[in-house]
mmCIF file of all heavy atoms in Angstrom:
data_model
loop_
_atom_site.group_PDB
_atom_site.id
_atom_site.type_symbol
_atom_site.label_atom_id
_atom_site.label_comp_id
_atom_site.label_asym_id
_atom_site.label_seq_id
_atom_site.Cartn_x
_atom_site.Cartn_y
_atom_site.Cartn_z
ATOM 1 N N ARG A 656 109.083 98.323 106.048
ATOM 2 C CA ARG A 656 107.657 98.221 106.386
ATOM 3 C C ARG A 656 107.197 99.234 107.437
ATOM 4 O O ARG A 656 106.290 98.968 108.211
ATOM 5 C CB ARG A 656 107.297 96.799 106.812
ATOM 6 C CG ARG A 656 107.641 95.755 105.767
ATOM 7 C CD ARG A 656 107.109 94.401 106.157
ATOM 8 N NE ARG A 656 107.597 93.358 105.295
ATOM 9 C CZ ARG A 656 107.170 93.093 104.067
ATOM 10 N NH1 ARG A 656 106.239 93.835 103.527
ATOM 11 N NH2 ARG A 656 107.672 92.089 103.375
ATOM 12 N N LYS A 657 107.830 100.401 107.441
ATOM 13 C CA LYS A 657 107.444 101.453 108.388
ATOM 14 C C LYS A 657 107.055 102.732 107.663
ATOM 15 O O LYS A 657 106.826 103.750 108.288
ATOM 16 C CB LYS A 657 108.591 101.729 109.356
ATOM 17 C CG LYS A 657 108.903 100.548 110.257
ATOM 18 C CD LYS A 657 110.018 100.844 111.216
ATOM 19 C CE LYS A 657 110.260 99.619 112.084
ATOM 20 N NZ LYS A 657 111.361 99.822 113.012
ATOM 21 N N GLY A 658 107.023 102.674 106.323
ATOM 22 C CA GLY A 658 106.649 103.845 105.547
ATOM 23 C C GLY A 658 107.813 104.756 105.202
ATOM 24 O O GLY A 658 107.632 105.764 104.521
ATOM 25 N N TYR A 659 109.018 104.422 105.659
ATOM 26 C CA TYR A 659 110.173 105.277 105.388
ATOM 27 C C TYR A 659 110.504 105.337 103.905
ATOM 28 O O TYR A 659 110.801 106.404 103.366
ATOM 29 C CB TYR A 659 111.410 104.796 106.164
ATOM 30 C CG TYR A 659 111.253 104.774 107.669
ATOM 31 C CD1 TYR A 659 111.844 103.773 108.424
ATOM 32 C CD2 TYR A 659 110.537 105.758 108.352
ATOM 33 C CE1 TYR A 659 111.732 103.745 109.808
ATOM 34 C CE2 TYR A 659 110.411 105.732 109.731
ATOM 35 C CZ TYR A 659 111.017 104.718 110.455
ATOM 36 O OH TYR A 659 110.899 104.684 111.820
ATOM 37 N N GLY A 660 110.471 104.182 103.241
ATOM 38 C CA GLY A 660 110.773 104.143 101.807
ATOM 39 C C GLY A 660 109.754 104.921 100.990
ATOM 40 O O GLY A 660 110.119 105.652 100.068
ATOM 41 N N SER A 661 108.473 104.780 101.338
ATOM 42 C CA SER A 661 107.419 105.507 100.624
ATOM 43 C C SER A 661 107.599 107.013 100.768
ATOM 44 O O SER A 661 107.489 107.760 99.791
ATOM 45 C CB SER A 661 106.036 105.125 101.164
ATOM 46 O OG SER A 661 105.759 103.779 100.886
ATOM 47 N N GLU A 662 107.899 107.456 101.991
ATOM 48 C CA GLU A 662 108.089 108.888 102.206
ATOM 49 C C GLU A 662 109.349 109.384 101.505
ATOM 50 O O GLU A 662 109.362 110.462 100.915
ATOM 51 C CB GLU A 662 108.138 109.235 103.690
ATOM 52 C CG GLU A 662 108.179 110.730 103.914
ATOM 53 C CD GLU A 662 108.055 111.151 105.366
ATOM 54 O OE1 GLU A 662 107.814 110.299 106.247
ATOM 55 O OE2 GLU A 662 108.210 112.358 105.622
ATOM 56 N N ALA A 663 110.415 108.570 101.529
ATOM 57 C CA ALA A 663 111.653 108.952 100.836
ATOM 58 C C ALA A 663 111.397 109.097 99.339
ATOM 59 O O ALA A 663 111.893 110.043 98.702
ATOM 60 C CB ALA A 663 112.748 107.923 101.099
ATOM 61 N N LEU A 664 110.607 108.197 98.769
ATOM 62 C CA LEU A 664 110.252 108.281 97.349
ATOM 63 C C LEU A 664 109.514 109.588 97.068
ATOM 64 O O LEU A 664 109.864 110.314 96.133
ATOM 65 C CB LEU A 664 109.392 107.082 96.944
ATOM 66 C CG LEU A 664 108.742 107.130 95.559
ATOM 67 C CD1 LEU A 664 109.791 107.187 94.457
ATOM 68 C CD2 LEU A 664 107.819 105.936 95.372
ATOM 69 N N MET A 665 108.511 109.914 97.879
ATOM 70 C CA MET A 665 107.737 111.136 97.653
ATOM 71 C C MET A 665 108.606 112.392 97.781
ATOM 72 O O MET A 665 108.513 113.298 96.949
ATOM 73 C CB MET A 665 106.546 111.203 98.612
ATOM 74 C CG MET A 665 105.461 110.208 98.266
ATOM 75 S SD MET A 665 104.000 110.359 99.316
ATOM 76 C CE MET A 665 104.564 109.568 100.809
ATOM 77 N N LEU A 666 109.459 112.445 98.803
ATOM 78 C CA LEU A 666 110.345 113.604 98.974
ATOM 79 C C LEU A 666 111.325 113.716 97.805
ATOM 80 O O LEU A 666 111.579 114.809 97.294
ATOM 81 C CB LEU A 666 111.110 113.507 100.292
ATOM 82 C CG LEU A 666 110.300 113.652 101.577
ATOM 83 C CD1 LEU A 666 111.179 113.378 102.797
ATOM 84 C CD2 LEU A 666 109.660 115.023 101.671
ATOM 85 N N ALA A 667 111.862 112.576 97.386
ATOM 86 C CA ALA A 667 112.823 112.579 96.283
ATOM 87 C C ALA A 667 112.165 113.003 94.976
ATOM 88 O O ALA A 667 112.754 113.771 94.199
ATOM 89 C CB ALA A 667 113.464 111.193 96.137
ATOM 90 N N LEU A 668 110.947 112.537 94.726
ATOM 91 C CA LEU A 668 110.252 112.927 93.497
ATOM 92 C C LEU A 668 109.964 114.427 93.485
ATOM 93 O O LEU A 668 110.110 115.083 92.450
ATOM 94 C CB LEU A 668 108.951 112.130 93.333
ATOM 95 C CG LEU A 668 109.119 110.655 92.988
ATOM 96 C CD1 LEU A 668 107.762 109.957 92.972
ATOM 97 C CD2 LEU A 668 109.844 110.474 91.666
ATOM 98 N N ARG A 669 109.576 114.965 94.618
ATOM 99 C CA ARG A 669 109.342 116.411 94.707
ATOM 100 C C ARG A 669 110.641 117.175 94.420
ATOM 101 O O ARG A 669 110.646 118.169 93.697
ATOM 102 C CB ARG A 669 108.788 116.769 96.082
ATOM 103 C CG ARG A 669 108.171 118.146 96.128
ATOM 104 C CD ARG A 669 107.439 118.434 97.427
ATOM 105 N NE ARG A 669 106.428 117.430 97.699
ATOM 106 C CZ ARG A 669 106.262 116.837 98.887
ATOM 107 N NH1 ARG A 669 107.012 117.155 99.909
ATOM 108 N NH2 ARG A 669 105.321 115.943 99.056
ATOM 109 N N TYR A 670 111.748 116.683 94.953
ATOM 110 C CA TYR A 670 113.053 117.299 94.697
ATOM 111 C C TYR A 670 113.396 117.223 93.207
ATOM 112 O O TYR A 670 113.852 118.204 92.616
ATOM 113 C CB TYR A 670 114.133 116.604 95.535
ATOM 114 C CG TYR A 670 115.511 117.118 95.261
ATOM 115 C CD1 TYR A 670 115.991 118.253 95.912
ATOM 116 C CD2 TYR A 670 116.341 116.492 94.339
ATOM 117 C CE1 TYR A 670 117.259 118.743 95.651
ATOM 118 C CE2 TYR A 670 117.608 116.973 94.074
ATOM 119 C CZ TYR A 670 118.058 118.097 94.727
ATOM 120 O OH TYR A 670 119.315 118.588 94.459
ATOM 121 N N ALA A 671 113.166 116.068 92.608
ATOM 122 C CA ALA A 671 113.477 115.888 91.176
ATOM 123 C C ALA A 671 112.671 116.851 90.317
ATOM 124 O O ALA A 671 113.187 117.406 89.345
ATOM 125 C CB ALA A 671 113.212 114.455 90.749
ATOM 126 N N ALA A 672 111.410 117.056 90.673
ATOM 127 C CA ALA A 672 110.561 117.964 89.898
ATOM 128 C C ALA A 672 110.956 119.424 90.111
ATOM 129 O O ALA A 672 111.119 120.175 89.150
ATOM 130 C CB ALA A 672 109.096 117.753 90.271
ATOM 131 N N ASN A 673 111.129 119.814 91.365
ATOM 132 C CA ASN A 673 111.347 121.226 91.686
ATOM 133 C C ASN A 673 112.785 121.691 91.550
ATOM 134 O O ASN A 673 113.030 122.775 91.022
ATOM 135 C CB ASN A 673 110.845 121.523 93.101
ATOM 136 C CG ASN A 673 109.351 121.350 93.225
ATOM 137 O OD1 ASN A 673 108.619 121.527 92.261
ATOM 138 N ND2 ASN A 673 108.897 120.968 94.397
ATOM 139 N N GLN A 674 113.739 120.916 92.037
ATOM 140 C CA GLN A 674 115.137 121.347 92.010
ATOM 141 C C GLN A 674 115.843 120.920 90.718
ATOM 142 O O GLN A 674 116.562 121.705 90.130
ATOM 143 C CB GLN A 674 115.923 120.792 93.201
ATOM 144 C CG GLN A 674 115.447 121.140 94.599
ATOM 145 C CD GLN A 674 114.702 122.420 94.788
ATOM 146 O OE1 GLN A 674 113.520 122.349 95.015
ATOM 147 N NE2 GLN A 674 115.338 123.559 94.717
ATOM 148 N N LEU A 675 115.649 119.659 90.340
ATOM 149 C CA LEU A 675 116.320 119.160 89.129
ATOM 150 C C LEU A 675 115.518 119.462 87.871
ATOM 151 O O LEU A 675 116.029 119.355 86.770
ATOM 152 C CB LEU A 675 116.557 117.642 89.234
ATOM 153 C CG LEU A 675 117.446 117.177 90.391
ATOM 154 C CD1 LEU A 675 117.501 115.649 90.420
ATOM 155 C CD2 LEU A 675 118.829 117.788 90.298
ATOM 156 N N GLN A 676 114.247 119.804 88.045
ATOM 157 C CA GLN A 676 113.325 120.103 86.951
ATOM 158 C C GLN A 676 113.207 118.948 85.948
ATOM 159 O O GLN A 676 113.130 119.150 84.745
ATOM 160 C CB GLN A 676 113.711 121.412 86.277
ATOM 161 C CG GLN A 676 113.663 122.554 87.260
ATOM 162 C CD GLN A 676 113.851 123.910 86.636
ATOM 163 O OE1 GLN A 676 114.359 124.041 85.531
ATOM 164 N NE2 GLN A 676 113.423 124.925 87.358
ATOM 165 N N MET A 677 113.150 117.741 86.497
ATOM 166 C CA MET A 677 112.990 116.545 85.671
ATOM 167 C C MET A 677 111.547 116.439 85.186
ATOM 168 O O MET A 677 110.611 116.814 85.900
ATOM 169 C CB MET A 677 113.366 115.291 86.468
ATOM 170 C CG MET A 677 114.824 115.219 86.880
ATOM 171 S SD MET A 677 115.953 114.952 85.504
ATOM 172 C CE MET A 677 116.753 116.549 85.382
ATOM 173 N N LYS A 678 111.385 115.943 83.987
ATOM 174 C CA LYS A 678 110.056 115.745 83.396
ATOM 175 C C LYS A 678 109.657 114.270 83.396
ATOM 176 O O LYS A 678 108.482 113.936 83.327
ATOM 177 C CB LYS A 678 110.016 116.284 81.959
ATOM 178 C CG LYS A 678 110.240 117.780 81.867
ATOM 179 C CD LYS A 678 109.129 118.543 82.524
ATOM 180 C CE LYS A 678 109.335 120.043 82.402
ATOM 181 N NZ LYS A 678 108.454 120.787 83.274
ATOM 182 N N LYS A 679 110.666 113.395 83.449
ATOM 183 C CA LYS A 679 110.371 111.961 83.443
ATOM 184 C C LYS A 679 111.392 111.250 84.323
ATOM 185 O O LYS A 679 112.592 111.488 84.222
ATOM 186 C CB LYS A 679 110.432 111.395 82.030
ATOM 187 C CG LYS A 679 109.956 109.943 81.940
ATOM 188 C CD LYS A 679 109.971 109.441 80.516
ATOM 189 C CE LYS A 679 108.806 110.071 79.774
ATOM 190 N NZ LYS A 679 108.648 109.552 78.415
ATOM 191 N N ILE A 680 110.886 110.386 85.197
ATOM 192 C CA ILE A 680 111.724 109.557 86.055
ATOM 193 C C ILE A 680 111.428 108.104 85.684
ATOM 194 O O ILE A 680 110.270 107.723 85.508
ATOM 195 C CB ILE A 680 111.408 109.792 87.555
ATOM 196 C CG1 ILE A 680 111.603 111.258 87.927
ATOM 197 C CG2 ILE A 680 112.239 108.867 88.437
ATOM 198 C CD1 ILE A 680 113.021 111.775 87.808
ATOM 199 N N PHE A 681 112.459 107.323 85.583
ATOM 200 C CA PHE A 681 112.272 105.904 85.297
ATOM 201 C C PHE A 681 113.019 105.080 86.324
ATOM 202 O O PHE A 681 113.855 105.584 87.077
ATOM 203 C CB PHE A 681 112.682 105.564 83.864
ATOM 204 C CG PHE A 681 114.085 105.963 83.505
ATOM 205 C CD1 PHE A 681 115.133 105.065 83.624
ATOM 206 C CD2 PHE A 681 114.361 107.237 83.022
ATOM 207 C CE1 PHE A 681 116.427 105.435 83.306
ATOM 208 C CE2 PHE A 681 115.655 107.615 82.697
ATOM 209 C CZ PHE A 681 116.691 106.710 82.836
ATOM 210 N N LEU A 682 112.704 103.805 86.382
ATOM 211 C CA LEU A 682 113.360 102.901 87.324
ATOM 212 C C LEU A 682 113.273 101.481 86.802
ATOM 213 O O LEU A 682 112.505 101.184 85.880
ATOM 214 C CB LEU A 682 112.733 103.016 88.720
ATOM 215 C CG LEU A 682 111.245 102.694 88.879
ATOM 216 C CD1 LEU A 682 110.987 101.201 89.059
ATOM 217 C CD2 LEU A 682 110.683 103.441 90.074
ATOM 218 N N ARG A 683 114.084 100.642 87.411
ATOM 219 C CA ARG A 683 114.054 99.207 87.148
ATOM 220 C C ARG A 683 113.829 98.515 88.482
ATOM 221 O O ARG A 683 114.414 98.901 89.486
ATOM 222 C CB ARG A 683 115.376 98.729 86.552
ATOM 223 C CG ARG A 683 115.662 99.340 85.185
ATOM 224 C CD ARG A 683 117.049 99.001 84.692
ATOM 225 N NE ARG A 683 118.012 99.782 85.492
ATOM 226 C CZ ARG A 683 119.310 99.530 85.537
ATOM 227 N NH1 ARG A 683 119.821 98.540 84.849
ATOM 228 N NH2 ARG A 683 120.115 100.272 86.277
ATOM 229 N N VAL A 684 112.978 97.497 88.492
ATOM 230 C CA VAL A 684 112.686 96.765 89.721
ATOM 231 C C VAL A 684 112.474 95.298 89.359
ATOM 232 O O VAL A 684 111.896 94.982 88.313
ATOM 233 C CB VAL A 684 111.448 97.361 90.446
ATOM 234 C CG1 VAL A 684 110.197 97.295 89.581
ATOM 235 C CG2 VAL A 684 111.224 96.704 91.798
ATOM 236 N N LEU A 685 112.965 94.407 90.223
ATOM 237 C CA LEU A 685 112.733 92.989 90.000
ATOM 238 C C LEU A 685 111.236 92.708 90.108
ATOM 239 O O LEU A 685 110.570 93.199 91.019
ATOM 240 C CB LEU A 685 113.519 92.152 91.010
ATOM 241 C CG LEU A 685 115.037 92.215 90.832
ATOM 242 C CD1 LEU A 685 115.750 91.590 92.018
ATOM 243 C CD2 LEU A 685 115.448 91.524 89.536
ATOM 244 N N ALA A 686 110.715 91.928 89.178
ATOM 245 C CA ALA A 686 109.276 91.690 89.085
ATOM 246 C C ALA A 686 108.713 90.988 90.315
ATOM 247 O O ALA A 686 107.514 91.103 90.593
ATOM 248 C CB ALA A 686 108.958 90.893 87.817
ATOM 249 N N ASP A 687 109.552 90.299 91.081
ATOM 250 C CA ASP A 687 109.046 89.620 92.276
ATOM 251 C C ASP A 687 109.061 90.528 93.518
ATOM 252 O O ASP A 687 108.651 90.123 94.592
ATOM 253 C CB ASP A 687 109.808 88.321 92.541
ATOM 254 C CG ASP A 687 111.289 88.525 92.844
ATOM 255 O OD1 ASP A 687 111.771 89.673 92.817
ATOM 256 O OD2 ASP A 687 111.965 87.506 93.094
ATOM 257 N N ASN A 688 109.477 91.776 93.365
ATOM 258 C CA ASN A 688 109.476 92.725 94.475
ATOM 259 C C ASN A 688 108.121 93.451 94.486
ATOM 260 O O ASN A 688 108.016 94.644 94.190
ATOM 261 C CB ASN A 688 110.645 93.712 94.338
ATOM 262 C CG ASN A 688 110.886 94.511 95.596
ATOM 263 O OD1 ASN A 688 110.034 94.594 96.478
ATOM 264 N ND2 ASN A 688 112.054 95.120 95.675
ATOM 265 N N GLU A 689 107.093 92.696 94.833
ATOM 266 C CA GLU A 689 105.714 93.174 94.725
ATOM 267 C C GLU A 689 105.426 94.396 95.602
ATOM 268 O O GLU A 689 104.694 95.296 95.192
ATOM 269 C CB GLU A 689 104.747 92.038 95.054
ATOM 270 C CG GLU A 689 104.814 90.913 94.029
ATOM 271 C CD GLU A 689 104.041 89.676 94.453
ATOM 272 O OE1 GLU A 689 103.382 89.685 95.519
ATOM 273 O OE2 GLU A 689 104.108 88.688 93.695
#
């Protein structure tokens, strides 16, 4: 709840697009993890 996870997600997605050149990222999350 300090924004660290959100920023880590954004940095990681940028890395996936630019370095790994990924076109699609998927994930699984428990439905109660709102």
